[in-house]
Amino acid sequence: MARREGRRRVILSVDLAARRLGLRPGTPVAKAQALYPDLLIMDADPDGDRAGLERLALWFQHRIAPIVAPGPPDGIVLDTTGADHLHGGEAVMLENMVTRLKESGITARAAIADTWGAAHALARYDRGRITLVPPGEMAAVIADLPIEALRLPVDIIDGLHGLGVSRIGPLASLPRPPLALRFGPDVARRLDQAFGRQAEAIVPVRLQAPVQVSRNFAEPISAAETIARYITKLVPPLCAGLEEREQGVRRLDLLLHRVDSRTEAVRVATAMPVRDVRRLTRLLCDRIETIDPGFGIERMVLTASLAEPILHRQGISALIEEEEADVSNLIDTLANRVGMQALYRFAPVESDVPERAVCRVPALAPEDGKEWPDHWPRPTRLLPHPEPIQTMAVLPDHPPVFFIWRGIRRRIRCADGPERVFGEWWKGDAELTTVRDYFRVEDTSGETFWVYRTGDGEHGETGSQGWFLHGLFE
């Protein structure tokens, strides 16, 4: 990877193969291409690297420790004080971190030390993949590391090499005034940070603050009409803030602070990102009846607690085209009355086991391209759990002659099957040999049922050979 420095391009980083060829960061690109014409060189993307480090830092912040910051250009710094015991100790925590990153395609090295500077140096220049420095031994451990580990500018590194100084230990023993006179204050500052004589603050990464508007009242309010009037005044500036970020709200929280120090909360959610003023105002006003104003409300705060980018869609381009109906407004109205969890649709899942072949998704979730299987008929109503039935059948492949379900005896007039369904062996050892034989059966009254036998009818390890009713065709 290369970048431009002044009027020339230089190599910024190299992989293991290029390092074996003798290429190092700082080598001019023209020289590298002259030596190796087939060398693959990519332009550096500092903005993309910085954004990637921030996303990785947020991932660590959610899972490892609360104080995490990106350490450009290629590192993450964490303050794990008080958090390591939650992950099994420092060694186990580092091992899990490095392993998780490796599974994601990221090769990493990690170190724990008393200071940020020492941990930075050990993670990059120590030989081990994981390094833990016991308290009090940091100075002896980092003394033999190269001076490049101190995060000094390249020109200072070159100048120190010209003096014959290549290790941190000998550099730390040199008198400070001559170093400061020749190289400035950076050398002493980095040494003090590495050895813990000067503090170095870690500024943790933070998510972007949500869009929020508020209103204080000189006199408390309590009437529903007054609350509705101020809701209509809060929603427009909130939508303006969302528009600046090109976002729409998915979850909106209205907090009403009462004079008795209690807080009433109203939450509305939307199926799609929305920043329509009238729509959001109506959703909030529909919930006013759930608010208990008590002796009065002295402050209102409206927060877009969950916002997502709004994807612009192409409108119709011809008079003969029909515009797709937008039912999101209806979905939002119903969902905020009965609850978001109560409004859903079914979607297919790639599984042969019937109860796993369907899942609930949000009402307006995008299509994922999967289709329902049509090689065998499926019942329109699948029972929540297969119910045991009493039956008589000739093993191994014949359907039942009759079955008794919920106290009613039903004689079979015709049947179709068996359809053999095997267990999903990758989910557990118990399903390695599991077999089900499904039959579609019709009784003498014309009702159609979906029944199955556990096992293949011959081998006991495939199932108990018991019969169950799993669905009804309507």
Side-chain angles (χ1 to χ4, degrees):
M1 191 170 294
R3 68 178 178 184
R4 183 169 296 278
E5 291 184 356
R7 301 181 61 180
R8 66 173 187 169
R9 294 178 67 207
V10 298
I11 293 178
L12 178 63
S13 61
V14 296
D15 60 7
L16 182 59
R19 187 172 292 274
R20 289 173 177 172
L21 294 175
L23 299 178
R24 296 291 184 270
T27 304
V29 171
K31 177 181 178 181
Q33 289 179 327
L35 294 173
Y36 308 101
D38 297 332
L39 190 66
L40 177 61
I41 299 178
M42 303 175 61
D43 290 331
D45 181 14
D47 294 336
D49 293 342
R50 190 178 302 108
L53 276 179
E54 289 181 357
R55 290 194 298 269
L56 188 58
L58 287 172
W59 185 89
F60 277 110
Q61 191 178 59
H62 291 161
R63 291 164 175 81
I64 305 298
I67 301 179
V68 183
D74 59 354
I76 300 288
V77 56
L78 301 88
D79 186 351
T80 62
T81 304
D84 46 23
H85 71 281
L86 301 174
H87 307 281
E90 293 180 343
V92 176
M93 179 182 65
L94 287 188
E95 184 65 35
N96 291 339
M97 288 166 52
V98 173
T99 301
R100 289 287 297 274
L101 291 173
K102 184 177 180 180
E103 292 174 351
S104 302
I106 302 174
T107 301
R109 300 169 68 181
I112 288 184
D114 294 339
T115 65
W116 178 356
H120 177 279
L122 292 168
R124 288 161 176 79
Y125 292 92
D126 194 59
R127 294 183 179 181
R129 187 182 68 157
I130 294 175
T131 305
L132 282 83
V133 180
E137 300 182 12
M138 180 182 60
V141 172
I142 68 173
D144 197 43
L145 296 180
I147 57 176
E148 287 82 358
L150 290 176
R151 297 173 291 169
L152 293 170
V154 177
D155 56 341
I156 294 180
I157 295 293
D158 294 339
L160 290 172
H161 279 298
L163 296 176
V165 180
S166 61
R167 299 290 170 181
I168 294 178
L171 177 63
S173 63
L174 293 176
R176 294 291 182 87
L179 288 176
L181 183 63
R182 181 166 183 173
F183 300 108
D186 286 344
V187 175
R189 179 171 60 90
R190 289 304 190 189
L191 284 171
D192 289 342
Q193 289 174 347
F195 286 98
R197 293 187 288 265
Q198 180 177 338
E200 187 173 8
I202 300 176
V203 180
V205 64
R206 298 185 185 276
L207 290 173
Q208 189 178 31
V211 179
Q212 184 181 90
V213 293
S214 62
R215 185 71 176 260
N216 297 321
F217 306 109
E219 294 292 335
I221 63 173
S222 58
E225 297 80 5
T226 308
I227 296 174
R229 184 170 71 252
Y230 282 104
I231 287 176
T232 61
K233 294 181 179 181
L234 288 176
V235 173
L238 181 92
C239 292
L242 291 169
E243 187 174 6
E244 292 179 359
R245 300 186 184 185
E246 298 184 352
Q247 291 180 332
V249 67
R250 287 290 310 277
R251 188 172 63 233
L252 194 60
D253 290 332
L254 176 64
L255 301 180
L256 303 105
H257 300 272
R258 305 188 338 185
V259 294
D260 58 358
S261 299
R262 293 184 59 184
T263 302
E264 291 287 311
V266 172
R267 169 171 288 182
V268 297
T270 60
M272 304 289 289
V274 175
R275 62 168 179 258
D276 182 79
V277 174
R278 294 181 59 186
R279 184 166 167 182
L280 295 176
T281 302
R282 178 178 55 79
L283 291 175
L284 288 170
C285 290
D286 286 345
R287 302 292 304 279
I288 290 179
E289 60 184 16
T290 65
I291 298 173
D292 179 12
F295 295 105
I297 297 169
E298 61 182 1
R299 188 167 186 258
M300 294 174 60
V301 180
L302 186 61
T303 306
S305 54
L306 178 61
E308 296 179 356
I310 287 185
L311 301 178
H312 301 284
R313 297 188 304 172
Q314 175 70 38
I316 59 175
S317 57
L319 295 177
I320 60 174
E321 292 185 19
E322 293 186 4
E323 188 173 2
E324 184 179 353
D326 184 9
V327 297
S328 60
N329 197 359
L330 174 62
I331 296 295
D332 293 343
T333 302
L334 295 175
N336 284 283
R337 291 180 181 176
V338 302
M340 293 297 294
Q341 301 299 326
L343 202 63
Y344 55 86
R345 66 179 178 85
F346 290 109
V349 178
E350 294 179 350
S351 177
D352 289 331
V353 180
E355 60 265 30
R356 299 174 184 165
V358 63
C359 67
R360 295 180 180 183
V361 297
L364 294 181
E367 298 289 343
D368 57 5
K370 299 177 182 178
E371 297 181 355
W372 298 99
D374 56 1
H375 55 284
W376 282 92
R378 289 290 182 263
T380 54
R381 178 187 170 195
L382 197 68
L383 299 181
H385 302 283
E387 298 185 11
I389 57 176
Q390 299 177 18
T391 184
M392 182 179 70
V394 179
L395 299 179
D397 296 328
H398 288 71
V401 178
F402 70 88
F403 69 89
I404 301 174
W405 176 54
R406 295 182 179 178
I408 300 176
R409 180 187 176 97
R410 301 177 184 273
R411 186 171 181 81
I412 304 302
R413 182 172 62 183
C414 60
D416 184 21
E419 175 194 355
R420 178 156 292 180
V421 175
F422 293 93
E424 297 176 336
W425 53 266
W426 56 92
K427 291 185 177 294
D429 294 340
E431 298 195 31
L432 288 172
T433 57
T434 302
V435 173
R436 292 181 187 176
D437 281 343
Y438 279 87
F439 294 86
R440 182 185 182 189
V441 299
E442 181 180 336
D443 66 2
T444 53
S445 64
E447 294 185 79
T448 308
F449 304 88
W450 207 38
V451 301
Y452 72 87
R453 182 189 63 242
T454 58
D456 59 4
E458 296 180 293
H459 304 91
E461 66 272 13
T462 60
S464 64
Q465 316 303 324
W467 287 84
F468 295 85
L469 189 144
H470 203 171
L472 296 86
F473 292 88
E474 298 177 351

